[in-house]
Amino acid sequence: MDEAQLRILTPAVTSVLVRRGADFATAEDAVQDALVEAVRVWPDDPPRDAKGWLVTVAWRKFLDVTRAETARRDREVRVESEPEPGPAAAGDDTLQLYFLCAHPSLTPAAAVALTLRAVGGLTTRQIAQAYLVPEATMAQRISRAKRTVSGVRFTRHGDVATVLRVLYLVFNEGYGGNIDLAAEAIRLTRRLAAQTHHEEVAGLLALMLLHHARRPARHEPDGRLVPLAEQDRGRWDTRLIAEGVDVLQAALARDRLGEYQAQAAIAALHADARTAEETDWVQIVEWYDELVRLTGSPVARLNRAVAVGEADGPRAGLSALAELDPTLPRHTAVAAYLHERDGDPVTAARLYAEAARSAASLPEREHLTRQAARLNTQLHR
């Protein structure tokens, strides 16, 4: 039975796991792991009942993941949800696992995906969203990574850059909803910063602290998303902001700029503004220019278009946006915002509604829907 035939069984096996009590995303991941095991084992020892074999192995994989997740959460309960300032004390070996999973036999992209899945606790769907690729593509990438390292002794460590990328993505996932993940990413980055003077480690730590400082103001008590410009800045954690700025300044003084330092500098400029109107958008555009130069990231280019719209006016922002791929996530939402600022509420309302349909999270979808409704109400008065 080849891989194509195996995948025909995937929906049925996933359905069995869900009926047994597994959540759909974890069930899918467990079935993917079982498929990898089948490709390895079946050529020499084919089962009599392919579906039954897959169900048994996938359920075992699901239980392993559930136990690991429970153990991880128990460990996180032992640390405070909000990270304390200063160097992190020695503790568990999670950071060591990050380095081991970032194995030299893997490409950086594969190592990041595998580490996020195996150690970071993210689902395949969450990782796919972070990488802006279809879930099926990411499932295949993780499966290939597992096959690559299945017979490898984990005695050689990966590089710092790969581990930083993993920590960055884990923090982003936590920042979007799971505070335990965000706090854990900060804790591990503190440990890494205590072990090395790498300027990008410091840059990432500063970035995390500056973003985490704004977390209390990002949502209303009912869960509604609050845009940066509308946040109550009195709720920002000034202690974390001060620490983040200090860490960033020390990193920038080494004059070896990297992408995390550039992102942290942008976050620091936002944190420095007492009101949204006082934000130094001209400097922010300059830092986005540096970030685009360093990474070529389409997400950085998208955010730069927003900053250009604030610094030079919405027409300039729309012009910068026109140079980007319209299928880029959040592209439509940015276009809606810039059209509204440009005095075109009809187009803005239509684009807000369109963006809401493809939003990656429920809070974001509800926010964009409210924006569309607000403009439509104004238009029909």
Side-chain angles (χ1 to χ4, degrees), residues 200 203 207 248 252 257-267 287-288 290-291 294:
E200 274 293 79
L207 175 63
L248 173 62
L252 292 175
L257 184 64
E259 62 174 300
Y260 300 120
Q261 295 170 72
Q263 289 188 61
I266 293 167
W287 276 110
Y288 271 121
E290 290 288 349
L291 186 58
L294 289 165

Side-chain angles (χ1 to χ4, degrees), residues 104-267:
S105 64
L106 297 172
T107 64
V112 169
L114 178 61
T115 313
L116 287 171
R117 185 70 190 89
V119 187
L122 273 63
T123 66
T124 301
R125 179 173 299 143
Q126 289 170 323
I127 302 168
Q129 289 172 347
Y131 270 90
L132 310 180
V133 299
E135 186 176 352
T137 300
M138 184 53 66
Q140 293 172 0
R141 185 179 299 176
I142 293 172
S143 295
R144 285 196 299 269
K146 289 178 177 178
R147 286 199 297 270
T148 298
V149 300
S150 61
V152 172
R153 289 177 58 84
F154 282 84
T155 55
R156 297 168 60 202
H157 288 188
D159 64 354
V160 170
T162 301
V163 173
L164 287 180
R165 183 64 179 167
V166 176
L167 290 169
Y168 174 74
L169 291 174
V170 170
F171 175 82
N172 281 351
E173 185 61 36
Y175 188 69
N178 188 326
I179 194 168
D180 290 337
L181 277 179
E184 175 73 349
I186 291 175
R187 186 182 71 82
L188 292 173
T189 307
R190 286 193 192 282
R191 291 198 64 198
L192 187 56
Q195 297 171 16
T196 176
H197 293 294
H198 194 294
E199 57 282 343
E200 274 293 79
V201 176
L204 179 57
L205 178 57
L207 175 63
M208 289 178 174
L209 294 172
L210 289 163
H211 276 297
H212 206 64
R214 300 203 303 259
R215 189 183 181 101
R218 290 189 71 238
H219 295 90
E220 298 285 5
D222 62 1
R224 290 189 179 191
L225 186 68
V226 182
L228 176 60
E230 300 172 19
Q231 289 176 14
D232 177 0
R233 298 182 180 222
R235 298 180 62 194
W236 290 0
D237 189 328
T238 56
R239 173 181 60 85
L240 288 181
I241 290 173
E243 183 187 1
V245 170
D246 286 345
V247 172
L248 173 62
Q249 288 177 339
L252 292 175
R254 300 172 198 167
D255 199 24
R256 295 181 61 183
L257 184 64
E259 62 174 300
Y260 300 120
Q261 295 170 72
Q263 289 188 61
I266 293 167

Side-chain angles (χ1 to χ4, degrees), residues 320-344:
L321 189 65
E323 300 174 2
L324 305 179
D325 182 353
T327 65
L328 189 65
R330 291 186 59 248
H331 185 284
T332 307
V334 169
Y337 173 74
L338 291 172
H339 276 289
E340 181 182 358
R341 289 202 59 230
D342 194 39
D344 185 358

Side-chain angles (χ1 to χ4, degrees), residues 259-290:
E259 62 174 300
Y260 300 120
Q261 295 170 72
Q263 289 188 61
I266 293 167
L269 286 167
H270 282 298
D272 187 55
R274 291 176 298 177
T275 65
E277 293 72 25
E278 294 180 54
T279 304
D280 190 341
W281 287 107
V282 173
Q283 272 205 72
I284 288 177
V285 170
E286 292 174 355
W287 276 110
Y288 271 121
D289 288 340
E290 290 288 349

Side-chain angles (χ1 to χ4, degrees), residues 91-105:
D92 61 69
D93 59 357
T94 306
L95 188 58
Q96 179 77 356
L97 291 176
Y98 273 63
F99 273 97
L100 289 174
C101 284
H103 197 271
S105 64

